[in-house]
Amino acid sequence: MSDPGTQLYLISPPEVGGEFPQRLERALSAGKGVVAAFQFRVKGMDQHEAARLAEPLQAICAAHEVAFIVNDSVALAKRLRADGVHLGQDDGDPKEAREELGREAQIGVTCHASKHLAMEAGEAGADYVAFGAFFESATKDKGDAERPTLDIIEWWVKLFEIPVVAIGGITPANCGPLVEAGTDFLAVSGAVWNADEVVAVKAFQKVIAGS
């Protein structure tokens, strides 16, 4: 299989009801071939409500062959039969998530700026590791004191086969060096949903194609 180069990993905004399904449809249509995954990230919501909101979004992702990943909750990922789950450092063990979700599930782990956490995640069977926040970000916890540098991406891709995701405040204007460093995925939220999603996705696509 040829290396597709850097792809986009869209993360949902806090509000995923109302017009959001249509916005997701437009973003995925605009990003055919460059958007690989979508993370359903809702906070402080009961599982029934989360499942109700997830259903149309999951169908849109399936129609576009984009992986539908649930943030934080193995239980919700299992209930939805999602393509995978993204775990923060306090959200459980990748090995246990694998037992719950099966061999085919995509399991990702937040590793902040830590090589040690990333290697541990890889050993525990993670399908990808995520470093960040690289830039100021509204979605990443302010407690992430240490900011990773490009070196950590370059180090990872040189030594490991497991894909790497860069996250946190990434925009079309600042993503070029991350693409050049070899990151497999750019995880983006505000840069897409706080703007015209079609224009934003195409702007990312242009930078990725030009690097």
Side-chain angles (χ1 to χ4, degrees):
M1 197 169 126
S2 66
D3 179 2
T6 302
Q7 293 179 289
L8 291 180
Y9 180 150
L10 300 183
I11 296 176
S12 72
E15 275 301 320
V16 292
E19 294 290 302
F20 184 71
Q22 293 91 315
R23 296 192 70 195
L24 180 62
E25 173 68 51
R26 287 195 291 270
L28 299 191
S29 296
K32 209 146 198 64
V34 74
V35 178
F38 170 77
Q39 186 186 118
F40 181 71
R41 186 179 194 275
V42 293
K43 298 284 183 185
M45 188 182 291
D46 78 55
Q47 210 182 90
H48 299 294
E49 177 66 2
R52 183 185 70 77
L53 288 167
E55 198 178 339
L57 308 180
Q58 194 171 2
I60 291 163
C61 288
H64 287 274
E65 297 181 341
V66 166
F68 184 86
I69 309 290
V70 170
N71 186 57
D72 290 354
S73 175
V74 173
L76 182 60
K78 189 172 184 177
R79 173 177 176 157
L80 294 172
R81 295 194 177 94
D83 296 305
V85 69
H86 182 85
L87 302 174
Q89 283 299 316
D90 304 321
D91 297 325
D93 184 284
K95 285 180 181 162
E96 288 169 18
R98 176 74 62 212
E99 282 168 24
E100 283 289 316
L101 300 176
R103 272 191 327 199
E104 297 302 307
Q106 294 290 310
I107 296 171
V109 178
T110 293
C111 301
H112 304 297
S114 170
K115 294 178 178 181
H116 175 69
L117 290 177
M119 288 189 287
E120 275 190 345
E123 282 164 18
D127 294 288
Y128 70 84
V129 299
F131 293 117
F134 277 89
F135 307 100
E136 283 296 325
S137 163
T139 54
K140 293 301 286 173
D141 298 333
K142 296 295 182 281
D144 300 350
E146 200 186 340
R147 214 177 274 295
T149 61
L150 289 176
D151 304 357
I152 204 165
I153 300 282
E154 290 164 349
W155 165 79
W156 184 266
V157 298
K158 208 173 284 177
L159 294 179
F160 303 98
E161 295 290 315
I162 299 168
V164 59
V165 175
I167 190 168
I170 296 168
T171 69
N174 65 23
C175 72
L178 289 165
V179 175
E180 282 162 25
T183 193
D184 297 285
F185 301 98
L186 298 172
V188 296
S189 185
V192 171
W193 308 122
N194 296 342
D196 178 314
E197 61 276 3
V198 171
V199 172
V201 166
K202 287 189 178 298
F204 274 113
Q205 208 164 9
K206 195 173 174 186
V207 177
I208 289 166
S211 291

